[in-house]
Amino acid sequence: MNLAEGVQIVSFGILAVMMLVTSLGVVLLSNIVHSAFLLAGVFLSISGLYILLNADFVAAAQILIYVGAVNVLILFAIMLVNKREDFSELPNRWLRQGATAVVCIGLFALLGTMVLVTPWSLDTTSPAVVENTVIALGEHFFSDYLLPFELASVLLLMAMVGAIILARRDLIPDTIESQETVSTSLTLPERPRELASAVNSSEEN
Amino acid sequence: MQLEYFLLLGAALFCIGIYGLVTSRNAVRVLMSIELMLNAVNINLMGFSNYLDPAEIKGQVFTVFVITVAAAEAAVGLAIVLAIYRNRDTIDMEQFNLLKW
């Protein structure tokens, strides 16, 4: 990283504040669509932190995978389950939240103490920064991390097949075409829920 | 720049993720909190990779694997949420007591 020290400190501060504020927004906001968009802010600021840590390839991969794929997936899921639902009030909910907050703050204090007390064995000599991280990562992937690399591809295939099977909709039977109820042009051709349960129960019998 | 700054930032993000994981009632928000926790782990790995092992960047390799697993987890998790929503007609975490005695 050939930026000056002051520039690095200032950009780290901006990115850290942005990341903490947006992640608190993800957790605390009541509207889930706002949370999903703030999640993109979290991922973008983490990508900026990666660039500060001399990792250009992983920063690009973070933006491509998280903002481009995972966040869009989450937004699609929110749209698919979009139902204005008023959650029933639970007794002692504030007690639960307060206890969780105390536990989280305690955990952060523990981790922070550990981080600050531990003498990290940083070598004081100027580190030999890798010239091209893409080449270094590729050499790792195809020499000493070859087995995990191949296993990752198998894992992605399994996740894809599993997600398709889990989220698959049953086929619409042709018999309910005649008894179609009033349908506006905006409704999707889905099987109604009570008919689906009736068909399932009849198949079981 | 110090290593401790990045480690503290990762710890804070992890704690925020745990808070969201425990307290949120919307199932999709629980998945978002899990993503936050995985990203906190990634920040830790990248910090160690840059400050303790700058010659061969093995932390970045692990970060790429964690990103891959996180993407697979998000896909399967959202499919499970969709399936539960289709069966139960709700996404309230308090009513998902399918495996609870």
Side-chain angles (χ1 to χ4, degrees):
Chain A
M1 179 61 65
N2 45 15
L3 285 177
E5 188 75 12
V7 179
Q8 287 192 41
I9 297 269
V10 169
S11 46
F12 175 81
I14 292 173
L15 287 171
V17 168
M18 202 168 103
M19 195 196 80
L20 289 179
V21 168
T22 47
S23 57
L24 280 175
V26 168
V27 172
L28 296 178
L29 283 187
S30 59
N31 192 341
I32 186 132
V33 182
H34 296 170
S35 297
F37 279 111
L38 284 179
L39 193 67
V42 178
F43 293 151
L44 285 175
S45 39
I46 287 175
S47 161
L49 288 173
Y50 289 170
I51 293 177
L52 274 182
L53 286 170
N54 304 311
D56 43 3
F57 174 74
V58 186
Q62 168 92 6
I63 292 183
L64 276 178
I65 295 175
Y66 273 114
V67 184
V70 172
N71 206 4
V72 171
L73 194 67
I74 286 175
L75 276 172
F76 267 101
I78 290 171
M79 282 190 272
L80 283 175
V81 298
N82 193 9
K83 178 178 160 193
R84 185 61 61 185
E85 182 176 12
D86 292 326
F87 295 134
S88 58
E89 282 298 320
L90 285 177
N92 290 333
R93 178 158 164 75
W94 61 272
L95 181 64
R96 214 183 284 195
Q97 285 183 339
T100 313
V102 167
V103 167
C104 287
I105 291 173
L107 183 62
F108 177 68
L110 196 67
L111 287 173
T113 316
M114 185 271 295
V115 164
L116 292 179
V117 165
T118 307
W120 303 106
S121 65
L122 295 170
D123 41 353
T124 52
T125 61
S126 81
V129 176
V130 176
E131 197 62 35
N132 195 336
T133 57
V134 180
I135 292 176
L137 279 180
E139 282 175 354
H140 277 304
F141 277 139
F142 286 101
S143 59
D144 48 351
Y145 289 100
L146 184 60
L147 181 63
F149 186 70
E150 299 294 335
L151 282 181
S153 65
V154 177
L155 173 80
L156 283 176
L157 178 68
M158 278 161 39
M160 188 179 73
V161 174
I164 289 172
I165 288 177
L166 278 174
R168 187 182 56 176
R169 220 175 260 282
D170 292 333
L171 291 176
I172 308 170
D174 295 326
T175 53
I176 65 167
E177 293 284 338
S178 55
Q179 45 178 333
E180 187 70 44
T181 53
V182 254
S183 67
T184 64
S185 59
L186 291 177
T187 53
L188 289 170
E190 289 177 2
R191 188 162 57 161
R193 189 169 305 276
E194 55 275 7
L195 278 176
S197 57
V199 167
N200 283 335
S201 58
S202 66
E203 281 175 355
E204 286 173 2
N205 298 327
Chain B
M1 294 299 290
Q2 299 276 325
L3 173 62
E4 285 87 352
Y5 297 162
F6 288 95
L7 297 186
L8 283 177
L9 200 62
L13 191 60
F14 192 78
C15 293
I16 292 172
I18 287 182
Y19 181 77
L21 184 72
V22 176
T23 59
S24 57
R25 313 236 349 226
N26 195 327
V28 183
R29 200 191 296 268
V30 171
L31 287 172
M32 289 200 256
S33 303
I34 294 175
E35 297 293 331
L36 286 184
M37 290 165 65
L38 286 165
N39 273 288
V41 174
N42 278 349
I43 289 178
N44 261 7
L45 284 172
M46 298 291 278
F48 283 126
S49 160
N50 189 41
Y51 285 100
L52 298 182
D53 182 28
E56 32 180 349
I57 40 175
K58 289 190 176 170
Q60 299 192 18
V61 181
F62 279 95
T63 305
V64 171
F65 285 133
V66 172
I67 288 176
T68 312
V69 174
E73 175 263 339
V76 176
L78 289 172
I80 290 173
V81 169
L82 279 184
I84 291 179
Y85 175 71
R86 213 173 287 146
N87 285 327
R88 287 295 185 91
D89 207 18
T90 180
I91 46 172
D92 189 0
M93 289 300 285
E94 297 291 334
Q95 300 184 23
F96 292 167
N97 48 8
L98 210 62
L99 296 177
K100 186 174 159 189
W101 58 82

